Amino acid sequence: MMGQAGSAPTVAAAEIAESALLGGRVRLRQPVKGYRAGMDAALLAAAVDAKPGERLIEAGCGAGAVLMQVASRRPGVVLKGLERDLTAAGLARENAALNGVDDRTTILSGDVAQGFRALDLPPFDWAVSNPPFFDDPGALRAPGPGKMGAWMADDGLKAWTGFLLKAVREGGRIVVIHRADRLADLLALLGDKAGSLVIRPIHPYADQPAKRVLVQAIKSGKAPLRLLPPLVLHDRTDAKHSPEAEAILRGEAGLGW
């Protein structure tokens, strides 16, 4: 996700920690405080089934958690990330080098609000994003300074979906993870130029409502909408995650469409 362009202070080395993702196959350096990538990034990366040679762009890539997990899961995929927070963009470049994928990963400094055309790039096969969850400052208690850009979309969800729709070729795929209560907005905004919509609800427990949704759309797709079985993250055992969620987090399973 994206922070304030040029306004983020330089993060001292002591404020950066390294995490191991996908069972240790991915190393990720990210701030100790502020926004930290977690389950949403893992699920978004697991929902990408790109083929070698295909090109993918992530809008609001942060420190590169999604891109690094896609790189590990999908060898040969060419990756680009767009991030307006200069500190996060710098960390994403470091993480690409740390994971040995900087030869096929490019991190661009820029703002989704400027639109895809401002990048002067050919369209991609895939465009993915975990957009900020809120675009109304009155809808939530103000988050900490390090999380503001990740939680609040200055230009609204429409700017993000508009960027993604422009970023893919005809027949290209868009994948978004977002709050379940924004599903109607996502379908309306993506449905303007895309179709063949597929929805996977993400439930914290089997007996609780979905908190997240993964949505895939195909630009100019015409197939009917499909609602897939949900992913349940936790069960009532002592295990931290359900077996299916744990397999995804360890990189042993994906989230096919």
Side-chain angles (χ1 to χ4, degrees):
M1 295 182 184
M2 304 177 78
Q4 294 298 329
S7 63
T10 300
V11 179
E15 297 176 307
I16 299 294
E18 184 176 309
S19 304
L21 309 177
L22 297 186
R25 291 194 295 279
V26 169
R27 299 165 63 188
L28 186 78
R29 300 185 73 242
Q30 58 181 336
V32 172
K33 297 180 180 179
Y35 176 76
R36 290 175 56 82
M39 179 68 77
D40 290 346
L43 297 179
L44 181 57
V48 173
D49 54 1
K51 299 176 177 59
E54 290 189 327
R55 299 168 59 251
L56 175 147
I57 186 169
E58 183 187 2
C61 68
V66 173
L67 293 176
M68 294 304 96
Q69 291 179 84
V70 172
S72 177
R73 287 176 171 276
R74 299 291 169 182
V77 174
V78 180
L79 304 167
K80 271 195 170 45
L82 179 69
E83 177 55 55
R84 75 177 182 180
D85 184 296
L86 300 182
T87 300
L91 282 171
R93 296 183 187 103
E94 289 181 26
N95 285 322
L98 187 65
N99 288 280
V101 295
D102 47 338
D103 59 334
R104 58 186 175 104
T105 304
T106 305
I107 307 300
L108 306 172
S109 296
D111 196 324
V112 164
Q114 296 172 340
F116 177 72
R117 288 176 179 165
L119 300 180
D120 194 26
L121 293 171
F124 288 75
D125 303 293
W126 292 79
V128 305
S129 188
N130 180 10
F133 284 160
F134 299 92
D135 47 25
D136 177 6
L140 80 166
R141 181 171 56 86
K147 296 183 179 181
M148 179 62 79
W151 283 89
M152 191 67 62
D154 295 341
D155 300 285
L157 186 58
K158 186 175 182 179
W160 290 77
T161 55
F163 179 95
L164 298 171
L165 287 165
K166 290 290 186 183
V168 291
R169 59 172 173 80
E170 296 296 313
R173 296 174 185 267
I174 296 164
V175 183
V176 176
I177 188 166
H178 211 276
R179 288 164 36 207
D181 62 1
R182 297 300 302 270
L183 177 59
D185 297 325
L186 274 174
L187 297 181
L189 291 167
L190 291 173
D192 183 44
K193 300 288 183 182
S196 303
L197 292 151
V198 188
I199 304 161
R200 187 180 294 277
I202 311 295
H203 294 249
Y205 291 91
D207 57 356
Q208 292 183 356
K211 291 287 186 71
R212 299 281 188 271
V213 285
L214 274 161
V215 178
Q216 178 181 264
I218 298 178
K219 190 167 182 177
S220 300
K222 303 297 183 185
L225 181 148
R226 291 187 294 135
L227 180 62
L228 300 182
L231 171 67
V232 178
L233 298 180
H234 309 284
D235 53 30
R236 299 297 181 181
T237 68
D238 291 334
K240 186 174 182 180
H241 301 105
S242 67
E244 185 179 5
E246 184 66 24
I248 290 167
L249 289 172
R250 294 188 64 82
E252 298 164 357
L255 277 170
W257 297 98

